[in-house]
């Protein structure tokens, strides 16, 4: 007697069909997974910003003023940047430290603050730095190795998880910087790095143009925000440079005066016509190299959390979010410095009351060809409504514009 058994199994064709279906499903689901991951990163980014806002309010409660944008020790001699081991004891920070430095003990970085606010000795070299350390402006230009660790420390609370930038030439990266208003005039204020007012006229210019939440190197408090904390931007988000000539993280020279009528358009021609988000480095792009600012690779957006000036520590509400960086000259003092992010379609901003808002790239920005507010010839008169629309109005603390709220 014989018996036969039928064995059931997949045929090759059936197996290939199943594999194809799985591949299609994976292809359909992958964008959704990536979107979910970015949504989680964006939420974490917003939460970090909220913690910074809470820290500012706690700081103000403790000291009755805002953390100063442009703080530290004045340049009264010695070696400001601590360029040698022997010069370390006479180093100073030139009043160039950012508002984030003073916030460190309020965001659970007390150990870092203790290093900064007390004499610091580099174990390997023996260099001893005074409290508040050397200036962070050109560190890698003079040191093959790090002598002052605090400025190189990357604080997790100052980073947005959506930004992939890591490591050198970044010297403690950050994605959150101070808002200094709707004018490029006097973005370094009227007080020099020696702590003295440059001149009466410089002080007058600063008073007219520095209309943001933070005034560089000046004491400020919540009471100065006459438009209301909920209507005024305290800080904004930026990307950190990836070395890819992105118009949002590397500056261009304007070849003119960005404050004058039409000045906001001066750098547009230097974009790559096929990839407008990048500079035309093979064509007419003229890079900016900030005087005394270190090596070219470190003079990019978001690479020095402790530095208050220019590309590293300032944003203004002139060009819309994710606009280009355009500087008047190779210095720290005048330029278009927009907010930017790796999120799709806009940036986070921190309002004075601690709320975090998402502002789209399409926010109303008024007359982009307008001159800036200031005391000079052809500038918009002091006290005027912001010429840069809703975006500019949100950046001013006391210009009395109406309907400046964002959802």
């Amino acid at each position: 007697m014989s018996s036969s058994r039928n064995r059931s199994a997949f045929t090759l064709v059936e197996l290939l069909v199943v594999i194809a279906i799985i591949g299609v499903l994976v292809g359909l689901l992958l964008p959704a997974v990536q979107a979910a991951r970015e949504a989680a990163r964006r939420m974490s980014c917003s939460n970090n910003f909220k913690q910074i806002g809470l820290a500012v309010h706690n700081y103000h409660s403790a000291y009755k003023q805002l953390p100063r944008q442009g703080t530290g020790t004045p340049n009264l001699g010695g070696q400001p940047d601590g360029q040698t081991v022997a010069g370390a004891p006479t180093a100073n920070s030139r009043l160039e430290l950012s508002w984030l430095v003073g916030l460190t003990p309020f965001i659970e970085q007390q150990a870092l603050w203790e290093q900064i606010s007390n004499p610091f000795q580099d174990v390997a070299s023996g260099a001893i730095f005074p409290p508040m350390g050397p200036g962070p402006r050109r560190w890698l230009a003079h040191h093959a190795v790090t002598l002052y660790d605090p400025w190189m420390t990357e604080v997790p609370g100052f980073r947005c998880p959506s930004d992939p930038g890591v490591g050198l030439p970044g010297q403690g990266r950050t994605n959150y910087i101070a808002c200094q208003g709707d004018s490029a005039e006097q973005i370094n204020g009227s007080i020099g790095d020696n702590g003295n007012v440059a001149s009466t006229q410089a002080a007058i210019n600063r008073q007219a143009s520095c209309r943001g939440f933070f005034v560089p190197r000046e004491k400020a408090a919540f009471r100065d925000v006459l438009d209301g904390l909920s209507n005024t931007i305290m800080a904004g988000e930026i990307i950190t440079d990836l070395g890819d000539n992105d118009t949002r993280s590397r500056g261009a020279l304007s070849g003119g005066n960005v404050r004058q009528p039409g000045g906001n358009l001066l750098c547009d021609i230097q974009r790559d016509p096929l990839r407008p988000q990048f500079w035309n480095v093979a064509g007419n792009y003229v890079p900016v190299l900030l005087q005394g600012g270190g090596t070219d690779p470190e003079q990019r957006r978001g690479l020095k959390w402790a530095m208050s000036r220019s590309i590293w520590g300032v944003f203004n509400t002139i060009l819309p979010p994710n606009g280009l960086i355009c500087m008047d000259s190779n210095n720290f003092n005048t330029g278009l410095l927009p907010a930017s992010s790796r999120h799709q379609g806009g940036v986070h901003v921190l309002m004075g009351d601690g709320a975090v808002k998402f502002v789209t790239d399409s926010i109303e920005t008024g007359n982009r060809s307008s001159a800036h507010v200031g005391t000079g010839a052809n500038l918009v008169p002091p006290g005027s409504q912001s010429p840069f629309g809703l975006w500019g109005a949100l950046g001013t603390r006391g210009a009395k514009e109406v309907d400046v709220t964002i959802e």
Side-chain angles (χ1 to χ4, degrees), residues 45-276:
C45 185
S46 174
N47 287 339
N48 285 348
F49 223 176
K50 286 181 180 179
Q51 292 302 313
I52 291 175
L54 180 61
V56 171
H57 279 255
N58 287 337
Y59 184 102
H60 192 279
S61 178
Y63 299 112
K64 311 307 178 189
Q65 67 179 64
L66 295 169
R68 192 168 299 195
Q69 169 74 344
T71 187
T73 47
N75 183 19
L76 301 177
Q79 295 190 8
D81 300 313
Q83 297 172 18
T84 66
V85 173
T90 59
N92 63 74
S93 53
R94 301 191 188 198
L95 299 178
E96 290 184 339
L97 303 185
S98 76
W99 65 301
L100 296 175
V101 172
L103 288 183
T104 50
F106 294 88
I107 59 165
E108 299 185 353
Q109 291 293 327
Q110 183 67 31
L112 179 60
W113 172 247
E114 291 293 336
Q115 288 184 324
I116 296 169
S117 59
N118 291 292
F120 177 86
Q121 181 172 15
D122 177 66
V123 177
S125 66
I128 301 176
F129 295 92
M132 304 311 288
R137 70 157 67 182
R138 50 183 178 183
W139 198 243
L140 292 186
H142 301 290
H143 300 288
V145 295
T146 302
L147 298 183
Y148 192 74
D149 288 333
W151 298 160
M152 304 293 287
T153 301
E154 188 154 303
V155 180
F158 294 159
R159 294 302 314 275
C160 175
S162 296
D163 189 280
V166 293
L168 294 173
Q171 297 156 51
R173 294 177 183 246
T174 184
N175 295 104
Y176 310 115
I177 59 175
C179 177
Q180 288 189 195
D182 65 339
S183 178
E185 178 79 12
Q186 289 284 323
I187 63 171
N188 192 43
S190 59
I191 294 179
D193 61 9
N194 60 2
N196 298 322
V197 176
S199 67
T200 300
Q201 187 58 51
I204 293 172
N205 294 344
R206 179 204 61 76
Q207 197 168 33
S209 301
C210 296
R211 314 201 304 171
F213 199 94
F214 289 96
V215 179
R217 293 175 170 168
E218 298 281 356
K219 181 179 178 180
F222 285 152
R223 67 179 182 179
D224 300 319
V225 186
L226 302 180
D227 283 348
L229 297 179
S230 62
N231 297 326
T232 308
I233 296 175
M234 178 196 300
E237 187 180 4
I238 57 168
I239 65 172
T240 70
D241 185 71
L242 303 179
D244 54 2
N245 295 307
D246 194 311
T247 59
R248 303 170 298 168
S249 63
R250 188 182 187 190
L253 281 176
S254 69
N257 187 339
V258 298
R259 296 161 291 174
Q260 293 291 315
N264 295 335
L265 310 174
L266 288 174
C267 290
D268 285 7
I269 195 174
Q270 298 185 48
R271 292 178 184 268
D272 187 328
L274 299 179
R275 300 187 308 151

Side-chain angles (χ1 to χ4, degrees), residues 59 165 296 375:
Y59 184 102
D296 178 54
T375 56

